[in-house]
Amino acid sequence: MGSLETERKIVGWAATDSTGHLAPYTYSLRDTGPEDVFIKVISCGICHTDIHQIKNDLGMSHYPMVPGHEVVGEVVEVGSDVTRFKVGDVVGVGVIVGSCKNCHPCKSELEQYCNKKIWSYNDVYTDGKPTQGGFAESMVVDQKFVVRIPDGMSPEQAAPLLCAGLTVYSPLKHFGLKQSGLRGGILGLGGVGHMGVKIAKAMGHHVTVISSSDKKREEAMGHLGADEYLVSSDVESMQKAADQLDYIIDTVPVVHPLEPYLSLLKLDGKLILMGVINTPLQFVTPMVMLGRKSITGSFIGSMKETEEMLEFCKEKGLASMIEVIKMDYINTAFERLEKNDVRYRFVVDVAGSKLIP
């Protein structure tokens, strides 16, 4: 089993200030206990939220910070009370690594809504030490917040599913939007949006991609299988599409108007917000009142939903479209992600990278 009681020194790539520039950083993994799993990181996806965090866009960043919350790795050791995993298992770690385990969300298996949830990085663990993410050699994680990656799913393909895939799957399940025949909209075709198209199509939905320009039309319809493509600035097309959609997954992470998209929803339609935006959004109330429409939000998904989503993706043969990079390219990757210059998710080959150049 091996002893997990001593600290280990490892190397990760950390931001040390709000410039967001990442560089090698040596630190100790937190003291570990009987419920913990020691994981050697294989792959880690890059999420748009990582940019917000390393650049302190939300005013809550603490440095040094090792980002990365789409982590796939191999179990190297397990604590004495670990029953769910064994050495050699390929597992995933997502956005949260702890919760209080006693509140209503926790007892309802919705630990992502726990007010005392612990983020996988830029947070403080129960022992008072900072949490650090997956752009590093290893992580130690409570078994409750670890999931098994299905056999046959490659680490680099699985990594983005732990955030981007889950973020779409969870609200579709929760709001009763899994049945076939629904008409859905995906607003924004980035990492989350492209998985939204794939998952919604696999559920049997008619999918419309909504974008600010025409440049992604071929990708949306040709590569991802969307049924329709709407340019939001095309007033005539938007008017023709009014009152047609059961839901819209809004993945846009910057300030944008809501009213053009509310008009696309049919009676009881839902606009589901997923982008992290720290500026207020606006709408006039008749836009929702006159169609009993809802503006709601959703945050990643539960551990149970993570397992379900991975099995769903395996069963349907779904994979994220990725660009695999080495760690020494990560700063360039962040620059490109800010310009939306990736199709559709960067994944760092951590195990295959020299962490100290």
Side-chain angles (χ1 to χ4, degrees):
M1 300 286 283
S3 169
L4 292 182
E5 299 306 318
T6 55
E7 291 188 346
R8 295 174 173 86
K9 292 276 189 189
I10 65 161
V11 176
W13 277 49
T16 53
D17 56 41
S18 60
T19 62
H21 183 84
L22 269 60
Y25 167 62
T26 301
Y27 59 101
S28 297
L29 286 181
R30 64 176 175 81
D31 288 338
T32 54
E35 293 278 345
D36 288 320
V37 179
F38 180 72
I39 300 163
K40 178 192 173 192
V41 178
I42 300 171
S43 298
C44 187
I46 301 180
C47 175
H48 201 279
T49 306
D50 294 330
I51 296 176
H52 289 308
Q53 294 280 18
I54 62 176
K55 296 203 167 184
N56 198 25
D57 290 343
L58 305 175
M60 300 183 296
S61 296
H62 300 278
Y63 304 98
M65 179 200 302
V66 178
H69 62 220
E70 298 179 343
V71 189
V72 176
E74 180 183 344
V75 175
V76 177
E77 281 184 317
V78 296
S80 56
D81 292 345
V82 171
T83 56
R84 302 179 59 226
F85 305 101
K86 64 183 186 304
V87 171
D89 285 348
V90 178
V91 297
V93 179
V95 177
I96 61 172
V97 294
S99 69
C100 80
K101 302 185 180 178
N102 295 312
C103 65
H104 175 66
C106 283
K107 289 183 174 178
S108 306
E109 295 189 306
L110 293 167
E111 54 283 322
Q112 75 272 30
Y113 296 115
C114 173
N115 287 332
K116 295 180 180 176
K117 63 182 164 287
I118 301 172
W119 306 87
S120 51
Y121 68 89
N122 194 33
D123 206 346
V124 178
Y125 203 67
T126 53
D127 60 1
K129 297 189 177 183
T131 58
Q132 302 289 11
F135 298 135
E137 293 174 275
S138 306
M139 292 178 76
V140 175
V141 185
D142 182 330
Q143 65 171 337
K144 164 75 178 168
F145 298 94
V146 178
V147 291
R148 183 174 283 101
I149 302 300
D151 292 341
M153 189 178 279
S154 68
E156 66 273 13
Q157 283 291 349
L161 301 179
L162 298 169
C163 174
L166 179 63
T167 294
V168 172
Y169 181 89
S170 177
L172 292 178
K173 179 192 175 188
H174 172 72
F175 292 116
L177 298 168
K178 280 180 71 177
Q179 70 268 34
S180 64
L182 295 179
R183 299 178 74 91
I186 305 294
L187 177 56
L189 200 59
V192 176
H194 98 282
M195 283 311 305
V197 176
K198 289 187 164 216
I199 288 173
K201 284 297 296 178
M203 289 177 176
H205 298 180
H206 180 283
V207 177
T208 299
V209 168
I210 310 156
S211 190
S212 57
S213 74
D214 214 29
K215 66 182 181 184
K216 292 186 180 178
R217 182 183 295 271
E218 172 56 32
E219 295 170 33
M221 301 187 75
H223 300 165
L224 297 174
D227 299 286
E228 292 186 48
Y229 188 92
L230 264 181
V231 177
S232 55
S233 57
D234 184 339
V235 176
E236 187 177 340
S237 296
M238 290 286 282
Q239 287 174 343
K240 282 182 184 175
D243 301 316
Q244 290 188 11
L245 301 179
D246 294 289
Y247 67 86
I248 294 172
I249 300 262
D250 181 348
T251 74
V252 176
V254 295
V255 173
H256 57 287
L258 299 183
E259 289 166 6
Y261 311 110
L262 289 168
S263 69
L264 302 177
L265 295 171
K266 59 172 72 165
L267 176 66
D268 290 327
K270 290 180 170 56
L271 177 64
I272 306 168
L273 301 177
M274 312 236 147
V276 177
I277 304 168
N278 62 351
T279 307
L281 302 179
Q282 292 183 317
F283 62 95
V284 294
T285 56
M287 292 294 298
V288 292
M289 293 164 58
L290 297 177
R292 204 164 58 189
K293 300 171 185 182
S294 303
I295 299 173
T296 187
S298 182
F299 172 63
I300 53 166
S302 67
M303 300 312 298
K304 187 175 180 183
E305 286 171 331
T306 306
E307 292 172 345
E308 280 179 26
M309 176 275 306
L310 288 169
E311 286 301 328
F312 177 84
C313 289
K314 181 186 177 184
E315 176 193 332
K316 300 291 186 180
L318 299 185
S320 35
M321 292 176 70
I322 60 174
E323 181 176 333
V324 178
I325 63 169
K326 301 294 188 190
M327 191 71 84
D328 60 8
Y329 189 78
I330 195 165
N331 290 303
T332 305
F334 274 120
E335 290 171 12
R336 286 180 52 196
L337 177 57
E338 282 199 278
K339 299 172 188 167
N340 205 19
D341 176 25
V342 57
R343 300 296 178 266
Y344 286 91
R345 205 65 152 187
F346 285 116
V347 177
V348 181
D349 172 15
V350 178
S353 296
K354 276 183 73 175
L355 296 190
I356 303 178

